[in-house]
Amino acid sequence: MDLTALFSLNYGLYVLSTRDTDGKYVGCVINAAMQITAEPPSMVVSSNIDNYTTSAILRSGMFTLSVFSEQATLKTISMFGFRSCNEIDKFEAMPYIVTESGLPVLTREVCAYVECKVTGTEDIHTHKLIKGDIIDARYLSKDPPMTYNYYHKVVKGKTPQKAASYQANQ
């Protein structure tokens, strides 16, 4: 089996974020998110069960998804994708806004964001599918969104071990 065939699927690159119950902003990079219904507008994201951000979303019941644009740098992607919120404050060095619900949204290197209220979850092996009703969504720039393919081919980025698409021999 050639699992690299899965690289042909069209993914984006996102920062999944929330505010933990202690008020701390947390977030991690994911590549699996999609709209699942139009009425009401809802979506699903996939996040590693072991990520601090995943457990914080389950505690808060809300999340935001900042959509990386093609302007996103490897430095920013790496900070949110290869570091733990237990080690550093990922939002300290990045400009962001806070939504009316009190959640963080990056404002640089992203083209849009979506904010959701959690409506359900399901464990799938190493990841948790988190379903949410969309309560807000906005464009932040006209830059094109970064695809996972663009990230690999142009940015020359690697895949973190906790990513849904991680392969040991990449």
Side-chain angles (χ1 to χ4, degrees):
M1 177 167 32
D2 181 3
L3 291 176
T4 61
L6 297 174
F7 292 160
S8 66
L9 298 175
N10 192 10
Y11 298 98
L13 206 59
Y14 317 96
V15 173
L16 178 65
S17 308
T18 195
R19 183 182 68 188
D20 205 352
T21 52
D22 63 1
K24 178 181 177 180
Y25 298 134
V26 298
C28 64
V29 171
I30 66 166
N31 71 340
M34 68 178 198
Q35 181 180 351
I36 53 175
T37 63
E39 192 55 45
S42 64
M43 66 180 312
V44 65
V45 297
S46 176
S47 187
N48 191 287
I49 290 171
D50 294 333
N51 281 351
Y52 182 88
T53 300
T54 305
S55 59
I57 289 170
L58 299 179
R59 287 189 292 275
S60 73
M62 309 225 14
F63 65 88
T64 57
L65 197 66
S66 297
V67 181
F68 275 125
S69 75
E70 288 182 356
Q71 305 305 311
T73 63
L74 190 55
K75 179 180 178 184
T76 300
I77 296 166
S78 295
M79 179 173 40
F80 280 90
F82 291 92
R83 304 284 306 272
S84 170
C85 292
N86 290 322
E87 300 169 5
I88 63 165
D89 179 352
K90 296 179 182 183
F91 288 89
E92 182 179 54
M94 287 296 296
Y96 65 93
I97 59 172
V98 177
T99 67
E100 287 184 23
S101 302
L103 304 182
V105 172
L106 296 179
T107 57
R108 189 179 72 209
E109 303 179 27
V110 300
C111 59
Y113 77 88
V114 179
E115 182 177 19
C116 294
K117 180 178 191 291
V118 174
T119 59
T121 65
E122 184 173 339
D123 289 349
I124 307 289
H125 307 294
T126 58
H127 283 65
K128 188 170 286 284
L129 293 181
I130 304 169
K131 297 175 272 185
D133 283 347
I134 298 170
I135 59 173
D136 196 13
R138 301 198 188 272
Y139 279 107
L140 298 174
S141 81
K142 294 183 180 186
D143 294 330
M146 182 178 289
T147 65
Y148 205 46
N149 186 48
Y150 183 94
Y151 169 70
H152 281 290
K153 298 217 188 271
V154 177
V155 179
K156 305 288 187 199
K158 299 290 184 196
T159 303
Q161 214 169 0
K162 290 184 179 180
S165 58
Y166 175 76
Q167 293 178 22
N169 299 326
Q170 53 177 330

